[in-house]
Amino acid sequence: MDKNCIDRKALRYNFLKKIIIRFDYDGMDDTELDQVISGISLELKKHNYASRTVETEKEVQFEFNDPESGDYAELYGKKIREQKVFVFHNENPQIKLSISSSSACIAIEETKYVDCLEYCDVLWKVMSIISEPEKVPFFIFKRFGLRKINQCFLMDINYLNKYFEPSHYHVFTLPGPDNIKEKVMQIRDSLEIADYNVNLIRTLVRGELRGEEAYQVNYDADMYLIDQESIAELMRNKDKIAQMNEWLFALYKDAVTETFLNQLIDGNFDENMIIGVEANGEGTV
């Protein structure tokens, strides 16, 4: 099937390992968080969240206007503070929802899903409670992000571009003796697509799997908003996150070869060559 004609529902296999749906915000302190957490707990109890733990974690705060990542923190300066985090554990042990005075996040790891967007509904309910002016009067949105991390292992690097497009993944070569081996390849792009921002990271890491040399292949795409009004509009109109999800799928298709995409439809891929590709559940994510 032509790559342009392949839609999400056609794929029966994937190598998606983690999904992160996250709001970052400001204007809330731990006292205000304690006041709203009981209402949040009652709401989450209705949505298959079975238990709650309280953790303390160190938060790194970066001093720049675009809170997209900490990869270049040394250029901007940072400070570290400890904060309380309420972690809600779903009946599915691979799903957890974490809430602090600065962020709310659903993390979905190595689980087969019908549609990751169905988990947005509960996060929206949480954010509706957190952002109520009567409860948190100085609340402001800082960032919303939808991030998907794909990962697999390739046993022979010479087959890299059978599975992944050379515009996204390549192996360094020099003419002459064949004594150069790629240890790590990483390509980073920071993009603007429509009204959204995207961090796109493609990585190859040489290592060992099953006693043999292998390469870990990572495809990490994070689409996000940092404008307060755009995030508020997202809260009012959930079609926007569906649009973000479709853009992420378009980017994913651009990185994967047409041959491999068709193998993700029919399952006709070499399981001894590419490791970590799994059958979907009832549908794709």
Side-chain angles (χ1 to χ4, degrees):
M1 186 184 300
D2 182 87
K3 178 188 279 197
N4 295 326
C5 299
I6 296 175
D7 65 19
R8 186 188 306 275
K9 293 180 180 178
L11 300 182
R12 296 174 51 241
Y13 296 83
N14 75 88
F15 52 102
L16 179 62
K17 303 306 181 191
K18 189 169 187 176
I19 303 169
I20 301 169
I21 310 165
R22 174 171 171 143
F23 283 93
D24 289 274
Y25 40 82
D26 206 350
M28 170 183 263
D29 60 28
D30 283 349
T31 301
E32 290 168 322
L33 177 62
D34 289 339
Q35 291 172 349
V36 300
I37 203 66
S38 60
I40 291 171
S41 299
L42 290 172
E43 183 62 44
L44 292 179
K45 193 72 175 176
K46 303 174 187 175
H47 298 277
N48 300 321
Y49 285 85
S51 65
R52 185 186 80 187
T53 57
V54 181
E55 301 176 2
T56 300
E57 67 178 28
K58 290 183 178 179
E59 180 192 41
V60 181
Q61 297 178 315
F62 300 99
E63 297 175 0
F64 55 121
N65 291 328
D66 182 356
E68 57 187 82
S69 74
D71 296 320
Y72 301 103
E74 66 277 6
L75 301 179
Y76 302 92
K78 62 184 179 182
K79 57 183 178 179
I80 299 174
R81 73 178 179 99
E82 289 189 347
Q83 65 173 353
K84 180 165 58 178
V85 181
F86 292 93
V87 181
F88 295 86
H89 304 271
N90 196 278
E91 291 176 358
N92 182 332
Q94 303 295 348
I95 304 172
K96 66 178 182 180
L97 195 158
S98 303
I99 303 170
S100 72
S101 60
S102 62
S103 67
C105 170
I106 290 182
I108 306 165
E109 296 189 50
E110 296 183 316
T111 313
K112 298 170 184 177
Y113 293 97
V114 175
D115 187 345
C116 74
L117 297 183
E118 71 181 67
Y119 296 98
C120 291
D121 286 342
V122 65
L123 186 57
W124 258 242
K125 289 181 171 65
V126 168
M127 291 310 303
S128 296
I129 295 171
I130 290 176
S131 60
E132 285 184 25
E134 295 80 8
K135 296 177 180 177
V136 189
F138 295 105
F139 178 93
I140 56 170
F141 288 112
K142 299 290 287 185
R143 187 186 192 274
F144 171 80
L146 174 60
R147 182 179 181 187
K148 297 191 175 186
I149 302 171
N150 292 265
Q151 182 186 97
C152 60
F153 295 89
L154 192 63
M155 300 305 295
D156 188 340
I157 196 62
N158 294 309
Y159 286 82
L160 175 67
N161 295 133
K162 176 181 177 181
Y163 297 97
F164 301 98
E165 297 286 3
S167 56
H168 289 266
Y169 293 87
H170 66 269
V171 175
F172 182 85
T173 58
L174 276 178
D178 185 21
N179 59 358
I180 297 177
K181 281 189 174 184
E182 189 90 51
K183 292 174 66 178
V184 177
M185 179 226 80
Q186 188 170 85
I187 299 176
R188 297 168 176 264
D189 287 296
S190 182
L191 311 172
E192 290 183 5
I193 299 178
D195 297 324
Y196 308 106
N197 304 286
V198 184
N199 290 325
L200 192 58
I201 305 175
R202 288 83 84 207
T203 309
L204 288 174
V205 181
R206 193 180 82 207
E208 189 175 286
L209 182 68
R210 301 174 180 173
E212 300 179 30
E213 182 179 276
Y215 280 80
Q216 184 184 89
V217 184
N218 292 336
Y219 180 82
D220 183 345
D222 181 17
M223 179 166 273
Y224 63 97
L225 292 166
I226 54 173
D227 177 72
Q228 290 184 44
E229 182 52 41
S230 296
I231 301 171
E233 173 61 24
L234 180 85
M235 287 289 294
R236 295 189 294 266
N237 180 9
K238 292 181 186 176
D239 289 342
K240 289 181 73 70
I241 190 171
Q243 186 181 59
M244 294 172 75
N245 201 38
E246 289 308 309
W247 275 117
L248 288 177
F249 183 64
L251 290 168
Y252 169 82
K253 284 205 306 179
D254 192 62
V256 178
T257 63
E258 184 174 296
T259 297
F260 190 27
L261 282 170
N262 278 283
Q263 291 174 348
L264 294 174
I265 295 173
D266 60 28
N268 191 29
F269 52 87
D270 186 348
E271 295 182 4
N272 295 314
M273 178 59 66
I274 189 159
I275 314 298
V277 179
E278 299 178 357
N280 295 331
E282 299 177 22
T284 64
V285 292

